[in-house]
Every structure is written in C-alpha cells, then in structure tokens.
Amino acid sequence: MKRILMVIHSNDPLARALTLRTLGSIACIIAETKNVHHTVISCLDSHDSVELEAAIFAATRFAEQSKTFTVSIYTKLSAMIDSLATPIETKLKLLPIFEYMYHDIHTISGVRELCVRVLKSYPAKRFVLTTLHVLSQLASKSRLDIPDQVELLLSYVESDPRSDIKVKALKDLKVLANQGPHMWTKENIQRICQYVKQDENLSIILKTEAVDVLVNLASTIAVSCLINDTGSEVSDICTSYCYHDNVILASKACSLLTHLAVYNNKMKGGDAAVCSEAVTAMTAVTALQALLYTTTSTQSLTKQQSHALRSCLRSVVLLCSEFQDGCQSMVDIMASILTSVAVTGDIAGILCDGLSAIGNKERSSMQSILPGVTAMLQLSIQNNQHDLAIKLSTLVFQATSSRVIGRESQQLILELSQSTNDWVSYRMARQAARYAHHFVASQIFATLSLKVSSEHYLFWLKSLQDICKGEHCLQSVSEDSDSFIQGVTQATFVYHQAISCIRAASRPSHPLTFHCKYMKLRVEMIQACCQLHHGCQALKTCPLPAIASLTSGPHKIAQGQIITQLEKSSTNFKSIVNGYKSLYQSLFDADPQTLLNIQHLVKCCQFISSAIDRVLGVVNTDITSSFGEEVEDYGIILEEINSKLNQATHKVPKVSHESISCLLSACRVLLTRVPFTLPRYFFQSLQVTSITLAISPQARGLNEPVTLQHDSHLTLKVEGVIQNSKQPSVFRKVDKVKISVTSQLQSRSQTLPDAKPAENIPNKMETMTEPHNDYFSCHFLLAFPVTGLHSQHRQYFSSR
C-alpha cells in the first residue's frame, strides 16, 4: 500500500492517474484508509483531464464502499457542481457519485437540494436524465423522500415533451414502486392511470412503461390501493390493453389483470371490501388464453414475441397456483397448442417450460395431457429434436409422478436415451430420479456406467444405479408380508452398495458429504420400518390376554416382546428425525426444494414415531398437525390411517390388533407409497459458499510448535475470507460467523519432584463476528497454566 501511494507524488500525471485507478479498484479492501481519502479528494482539483477522470473513478468506488468518504467529499463535490469554472462534462461525471450518499440524513437533504437546483439550472436532456436517476437511486437506497421523488418524476412524465426523459422517469418510478410501495398515495396512482387513459397520442413505449409501473405496484402491498381506490380505472386499463395488437403491452396488461384477480380472490374470505368492478379469475383466464393464441400463431418468434410469451406464462403459473378451477383449462389449452403441427421448436420449448412450472405446483392437472405429450415425444424423437424431447420427457415424468409410468412412455424415453448423446441421457435419468421414476433412471444409469473412463465417474454412476434399483425394489413390493420383507431386505443390500460407491466416487475437491449422509438416513429409515414390521408381526405369536395380564400400569405394559420392540422402533424414528434436522441445518447452499424435501421426510418419520407413542399410550395428542398441508397424494392415505388410529387408541387395551394393523399400514405407506426422490442438490449446487481461514502466529516449520513463555499469553488472530460462486447469494448469504477455539494438553513438561502439578483447565473460547466485504477477523487471548505441548482446534459456523 505504501509503495502504491508513493507514486501519487510523481510529476507524471499519467502515473498519478494509474495510481488513482489502482486505488479505486481495491477500494473494497482499503475503504476506510484516511490518507487515501485525502489523496482522492485533492486530486479532484487536477487540471489534467486523464488524472481528473481517474480521480472521479476512484471517488465513485470509495463512495460506494465508505460512509466516512461520502461525508467528507460532499462539500467538495457541491462546490464543484455550483462552480461556473467546472466544465459541463465534468459535472455530468460527478453527479453519479451523489447516489451513494445515503448514510447521513443531513447529507441526503443537502444532495437533494443541490440536485433540484441542477434540474432548474441545467434543463438539457443529459443533465435531466442523470439528475433524475441520481435522485431516484438516492431515495430508493435511503427510503427517504420517496413521496417527493414520485411527485417529481410524475411531473416530468406529464409535462416534459421529450420522450426519452419520460421513459427514464417511468423506469425510475418502477424502482420506487418496488422499494417503497407503501409510500405511494392514491393520487399518485390516479395520475398514472389518467396519464395512460387520457392521452390518446401516447406512444406504445410510454404506455408499456406506465402499465409496467402499475404491474410493479400490483405485485406489492400497494395492490389494495389499486383495488379499493382506483379499481374502476385500473380495470378499464386492463380491458383496454390486454387485447392490444402490441404483444408486449398486452402481456403487461395481462400481468396486471392477473395480480388483481389473485388479490380479489384472497380478499373474498377476508374483511377487506372488494369493489364491484373488481376483475375475476375468468376475465384473466380469457385474456391469457387470447394472448397465448396470439403469440404462438406465427412460425418463428421475434424477440418481443418471445418476451411476451414468457411474461404470459409467468402470469399463467401465478394464476394456476391460486385458482385450481381454471388450472385444468389453461393446461389443456397449452397442451393443445403444444401438440399442434404449426408450433415450432422454440415455441414448443417455451410452452414446455411453462407446463413444467405448473406441474411442479399442480401435478394432478398434468395427467390429462399425457397422451398428447407422449405423441409429441415420439414425433420429436423421429425429427431428432433432442432438446425438445428432454423437456417433453420431463412433462411425462411429472404427469405420472404419483403412479407407475406407462410401458409405451418407458420405451420412448429409453429409445431417446440411446439415440442421443451421453450428457443428454444423463440429464434425462437425473429428471427421472427427481420425479421418482427409478426404473427408467436405473436403466439409463446402467447404460451410461459402461461409457465412462474415469474411475470416480464410474462409481458415481454405479451409486445412482444402485439407489434407483433399491427404490424400484421398494416400489415393486406387494401387500403380502413376505414380499414386503424380501423387498426391504433386497433394497437394504443394494443401498449399502450405493453408499460404498459414493465413498469411492468422492474426491478431496468433491467430498460428497451430503450424499453419504442422505443415503445413510434413508437406509436407517428402511431398517427402522423393517424392525417395526417385525415387531407388529410378533403380535400374531403372542395372544393379547396373555400380554394384558402382565400390565403394571394403566397405559404401559411392563414386560412383553411387542412393547419392547415398539419402544425401540419409536426411539429409532426419533433418532432419524434428529439426523434429518442436523442435515437440514448443514445445507447452507441447498435450494429451497431440497430443503422442502427434507422437511417432508422429517414429517413422515415424526408421523410414524407419534403413531407408535400413541399406541403405547405415551402421548394422547392428535398427530395430524405434525404432518404439513403441503404433502401430496400420500398425505391423504396417512390422514386415513391417522383417523383409524384415533379410533383404535380410544379403546382399552391400546395395543390391539386394530392399532397394530394401522402401524403396519403406515409403515408400508412410508416405504412403498411415499415417493423418495433425489433432490436437486444431490446432483447440482446453484450456490457454492466456502470459508478459508488463516491463523497467526504460524509455526516456522511443518509439525513444529509455536514456542511461548510459561508466564505469558498467546494472542491468536483468526482471519477468514468468504468465497462465493459466480452467482453469490442465490438463496442465502453469510450474515455472521461464529468461531470457536479449543486447546488441549497433549504432553506435560517435566517438573521438579517436589513441585505440585498444576491443574489442567482446557481453553474453550468462542466469538461471533460479522464479515465486511467477505472478510472477517477476530482475536483470542489464550492462557496456558500448565507448561507442555498444547494442540488447538478451530471451528466455524456460518449464520444465514
């Protein structure tokens, strides 16, 4: 750092400019260095254009990172903006620095007054565009002056004759609608509505941007103001433009119509009043259907049509998630368009994406389109449209996710996997495993395992093949007890092979820790269900009167093989629940669907454990609440078992043939009917977060200790850097880091014979620190009362 700053005193302006740009590039590291702040501010007085541009660049970077720098540079920038000696181009480059001065309320008010004066003094288009954007960014980041900024932007939208300024003002209004929707008033929304309705000569671009502002407001809490205060005007805008010739404008109007319909549906059961002109779901469905037919009627999609079609499909997905009645009709219409001969590959691919998004939320509505999708899949294979065939195969998996896939569909998918390249086949098998079609996945993985040259890839594909094979064994068992035991035994054996292959496939760069834990918990669940099945079957060899005679309490039997096995099974399921919860807490980078999948498994195990406890008389509460409402078809079966169990446990004795049969049914449903899917995080991680630690002081050589006097303390400094993937914080980011340090005495040094040995008290210290720009550091002061060789262990935990 000192060597870089030495160059700033050079007589060469080019060298000083390079120094300033270097300092600006590392501003995130040296953001609070005072002498650098002074250097950058002083260089703004340079008369050399290259050095001045470099100083402005450095000032922008430091203002983005440092609060103290923005406060100290405010006076300097204000003087340069007000000065007549400052060139116009320089003022335009200095203005964007003000958008980062949102830390202090006095600075914010001063910047706003300065920018308003600039708007009046310099009405040129470039000045107005830059200044309005700076004011909008400042208001959105500080959450102050949003109402005043909305009024200012609306005045330029209504009065300024230049279309570029109007478009920029409307774009800034969208930003403010997202950041502070609760600060918008009824008058602000009415002015936008009147601007769209009354000006007949308004261009399509301005209409689209204005309607997009209303869409952003409708997607937030400001939708109540749209409905209750300006409901008729907004409804007129929707009905006027949702059938417009311009597909972009029509898609925005349909999106606005969808948000209004969703809000009206939520308010029907509440206390809020819904206006008489409120739009209904059928109005939105009709408009979306017309837009779908319009955008898919051409042979090839333009950029605008593609954007409009995707926006339309997003509205369809939102509408189908709220209205199950109209979901089936929308799915049927999209399937009819998909299977038409005139649809090209681009349109078909976008429609498949939309249907897949609907199928993730409403899989029951996908079953009716299975014949058409299967025929389309066969046609795409014949035409060598492999990308489209993969998306169609995903639709087939979704449509048959709750039942066995048809033989014709199986043959088509296996034929496609053999005719396409290996990577496409792997993606198909991955989708099949994610939707619990394990037979198809095992066949494809078995074929792919013969085509790899790497040993790690071989074991990875073998493990996937064994996992799918084990799940297929469980899906193939019948209601017969012998068939159930045989299937469970075979699945357990195959699963142990899969775990061994996963360990063999792991590498230091890819340890596959989650995969091993996830599969181990699955094996433990299968073994716990098998043990519970054996315990329930033992009731046939032990008559109930003989068991009842051994009771020593009102609700628990003191002896008996059945009670002992049931108690052990309950303990096993509770241990599995704790294992899944511990795994859940360790998945910092997992996607939400993976976490939801683990939550379902936790609730299933809790259901069985609670059912066993009810039979044993340990608890008397209803176990329905322990199972969530977001379950699929198997949830209905478990609810039926729960109702039968409630009736059986009200009788005396509770351990009866009826209650034991309920436990047997729940055990079989858990293994054979509850679909065990491999989540996305098992194959792909969309976010990768790692922490690298540096400890000081360091030993001089490898395996050498750090020497320390016996009457002194060790100051241990721990530094860390958080490393993210290319797209950091997709799901969550590190907010705090908890660091714990523990020291243990390894060997005691030799003491005098008459000396009393000191008591060994291990050091255990921990602290919580917040990272700044992905960097954190902390210090520990460790005392060693016993002389000897101590070892240290460091551990960190990240907080989401």
Side-chain angles (χ1 to χ4, degrees), residues 466-477 482-498 523 526 530:
D466 291 337
I467 291 171
C468 295
K469 186 178 179 181
E471 287 301 319
H472 180 64
C473 294
L474 294 177
Q475 292 176 351
S476 304
V477 299
D482 295 335
S483 175
F484 179 80
I485 296 299
Q486 183 180 0
V488 168
T489 304
Q490 186 178 0
T492 305
F493 174 74
V494 176
Y495 259 116
H496 281 294
Q497 288 183 338
V523 173
I526 295 173
C530 184

Side-chain angles (χ1 to χ4, degrees), residues 317-333:
V317 173
L318 176 62
L319 197 65
C320 291
S321 62
E322 296 292 336
F323 301 98
Q324 277 109 34
D325 297 336
C327 179
Q328 190 62 51
S329 61
M330 291 300 302
V331 170
D332 293 339
I333 289 174

Side-chain angles (χ1 to χ4, degrees), residues 688-720:
V688 179
T689 306
S690 61
I691 296 179
T692 304
L693 295 180
I695 312 297
S696 60
Q698 290 282 348
R700 295 183 177 179
L702 186 63
N703 297 327
E704 290 186 6
V706 177
T707 58
L708 186 70
Q709 296 294 331
H710 70 280
D711 56 348
S712 61
H713 293 68
L714 174 65
T715 303
L716 187 68
K717 183 180 180 181
V718 180
E719 298 176 286

Side-chain angles (χ1 to χ4, degrees), residues 24-314:
S25 300
I26 60 174
C28 59
I29 303 175
I30 56 172
E32 303 298 335
T33 308
K34 301 295 183 180
N35 55 346
V36 177
H37 293 179
H38 175 72
T39 301
V40 173
I41 295 174
S42 61
C43 288
L44 289 174
D45 295 327
S46 176
H47 297 286
D48 186 81
S49 59
V50 177
E51 184 180 359
L52 181 60
E53 288 185 5
I56 295 173
F57 168 80
T60 305
R61 293 295 179 266
F62 276 97
E64 186 179 358
Q65 300 291 335
S66 174
K67 173 184 175 181
T68 57
F69 181 78
T70 56
V71 175
S72 59
I73 201 177
Y74 165 68
T75 306
K76 178 68 175 179
L77 291 181
S78 301
M80 293 182 68
I81 294 294
D82 290 332
S83 176
L84 296 178
T86 306
I88 298 296
E89 294 295 331
T90 304
K91 291 183 179 181
L92 284 172
K93 295 176 182 178
L94 291 173
L95 280 173
I97 304 177
F98 287 116
E99 71 179 68
Y100 301 109
M101 299 184 180
Y102 53 86
H103 302 286
D104 183 63
I105 187 171
H106 299 290
T107 308
I108 294 171
S109 60
V111 169
R112 184 165 185 84
E113 293 177 1
L114 175 64
C115 291
V116 171
R117 291 200 309 268
V118 170
L119 286 174
K120 295 178 181 179
S121 303
Y122 301 94
K125 184 174 71 172
R126 293 177 61 190
F127 265 99
V128 174
L129 290 175
T130 304
T131 309
L132 287 179
H133 182 69
V134 167
L135 287 173
S136 300
Q137 291 294 320
L138 186 65
S140 64
K141 292 176 181 178
S142 64
R143 303 297 193 274
L144 296 175
D145 302 319
I146 287 183
D148 296 337
Q149 182 62 19
V150 170
E151 291 287 341
L152 179 64
L153 293 174
L154 285 175
S155 64
Y156 274 91
V157 169
E158 294 171 344
S159 60
D160 200 293
R162 293 165 290 189
S163 59
D164 293 341
I165 293 179
K166 290 184 177 182
V167 171
K168 187 64 176 178
L170 289 171
K171 289 182 180 296
D172 289 337
L173 283 172
K174 286 191 294 183
V175 175
L176 297 179
N178 290 328
Q179 297 296 333
H182 57 286
M183 298 183 184
W184 285 62
T185 62
K186 177 179 68 176
E187 290 76 15
N188 299 145
I189 300 175
Q190 285 179 345
R191 290 173 66 178
I192 295 179
C193 295
Q194 292 172 2
Y195 173 74
V196 176
K197 290 175 59 179
Q198 293 179 2
D199 197 346
E200 298 179 355
N201 298 325
L202 201 63
S203 64
I204 298 297
I205 298 177
L206 293 177
K207 288 181 180 180
T208 304
E209 294 294 338
V211 174
D212 202 11
V213 174
L214 295 176
V215 172
N216 287 9
L217 289 171
S219 61
T220 61
I221 59 175
V223 64
S224 59
C225 188
L226 285 172
I227 291 291
N228 299 325
D229 299 329
T230 59
S232 58
E233 296 179 356
V234 177
S235 300
D236 292 341
I237 292 174
C238 293
T239 54
S240 301
Y241 295 125
C242 62
Y243 300 101
H244 199 273
D245 295 337
N246 186 277
V247 290
I248 297 293
L249 180 57
S251 65
K252 298 295 183 183
C254 288
S255 180
L256 177 60
L257 197 65
T258 303
H259 285 293
L260 298 180
V262 169
Y263 178 79
N264 286 331
N265 179 67
K266 293 180 180 179
M267 289 297 105
K268 282 181 181 179
D271 298 331
V274 181
C275 65
S276 58
E277 295 86 359
V279 295
T280 60
M282 295 310 299
T283 308
V285 168
T286 305
L288 289 172
Q289 289 176 359
L291 183 59
L292 275 175
Y293 282 117
T294 302
T295 53
T296 57
S297 59
T298 57
Q299 293 293 332
S300 60
L301 284 177
T302 61
K303 186 177 181 179
Q304 287 188 345
Q305 289 174 337
S306 177
H307 178 75
L309 180 58
R310 293 183 185 277
S311 176
C312 176
L313 291 177
R314 283 193 292 269

Side-chain angles (χ1 to χ4, degrees), residues 319-565:
L319 197 65
C320 291
S321 62
E322 296 292 336
F323 301 98
Q324 277 109 34
D325 297 336
C327 179
Q328 190 62 51
S329 61
M330 291 300 302
V331 170
D332 293 339
I333 289 174
M334 292 173 64
S336 64
I337 297 175
L338 179 63
T339 54
S340 62
V341 182
V343 172
T344 60
D346 295 337
I347 299 176
I350 297 175
L351 288 174
C352 287
D353 293 337
L355 286 171
S356 298
I358 297 174
N360 283 331
K361 298 182 178 181
E362 299 292 334
R363 294 185 183 178
S364 59
S365 60
M366 304 293 292
Q367 298 178 1
S368 60
I369 68 172
L370 183 59
V373 173
T374 305
M376 190 73 177
L377 176 61
Q378 186 174 7
L379 183 62
S380 63
I381 294 175
Q382 294 175 358
N383 296 334
N384 294 326
Q385 296 176 322
H386 292 161
D387 292 337
L388 178 60
I390 293 173
K391 295 182 179 181
L392 290 170
S393 63
T394 303
L395 292 179
V396 173
F397 295 147
Q398 286 181 336
T400 57
S401 60
S402 59
R403 53 195 175 92
V404 180
I405 191 171
R407 181 170 298 179
E408 180 183 358
S409 301
Q410 282 186 6
Q411 294 297 328
L412 286 175
I413 294 172
L414 292 177
E415 179 183 349
L416 174 62
S417 66
Q418 295 174 0
S419 60
T420 186
N421 60 68
D422 297 336
W423 171 241
V424 174
S425 300
Y426 177 79
R427 290 167 57 191
M428 292 178 60
R430 183 178 64 186
Q431 290 295 94
R434 289 184 61 190
Y435 289 104
H437 294 289
H438 297 288
F439 176 74
V440 177
S442 64
Q443 296 294 319
I444 301 177
F445 284 134
T447 305
L448 291 175
S449 63
L450 304 176
K451 299 180 179 180
V452 293
S453 58
S454 173
E455 187 179 25
H456 295 286
Y457 292 152
L458 173 64
F459 284 116
W460 169 246
L461 292 174
K462 281 289 186 181
S463 66
L464 293 176
Q465 177 189 352
D466 291 337
I467 291 171
C468 295
K469 186 178 179 181
E471 287 301 319
H472 180 64
C473 294
L474 294 177
Q475 292 176 351
S476 304
V477 299
S478 60
E479 295 295 332
D480 183 49
S481 176
D482 295 335
S483 175
F484 179 80
I485 296 299
Q486 183 180 0
V488 168
T489 304
Q490 186 178 0
T492 305
F493 174 74
V494 176
Y495 259 116
H496 281 294
Q497 288 183 338
I499 294 175
S500 300
C501 290
I502 291 176
R503 290 173 178 170
S506 62
R507 290 174 289 177
S509 58
H510 299 282
L512 303 179
T513 305
F514 164 74
H515 309 75
C516 288
K517 292 182 179 179
Y518 192 70
M519 290 298 106
K520 283 181 180 179
L521 289 172
R522 178 59 175 174
V523 173
E524 291 178 5
M525 183 190 296
I526 295 173
Q527 292 175 346
C529 288
C530 184
Q531 183 181 358
L532 177 61
H533 187 275
H534 285 304
C536 294
Q537 288 294 331
L539 180 64
K540 299 179 181 179
T541 63
C542 192
L544 274 177
I547 300 177
S549 63
L550 299 175
T551 57
S552 60
H555 299 293
K556 185 176 179 180
I557 301 175
Q559 299 177 2
Q561 183 180 5
I562 297 177
I563 302 302
T564 305
Q565 291 185 357

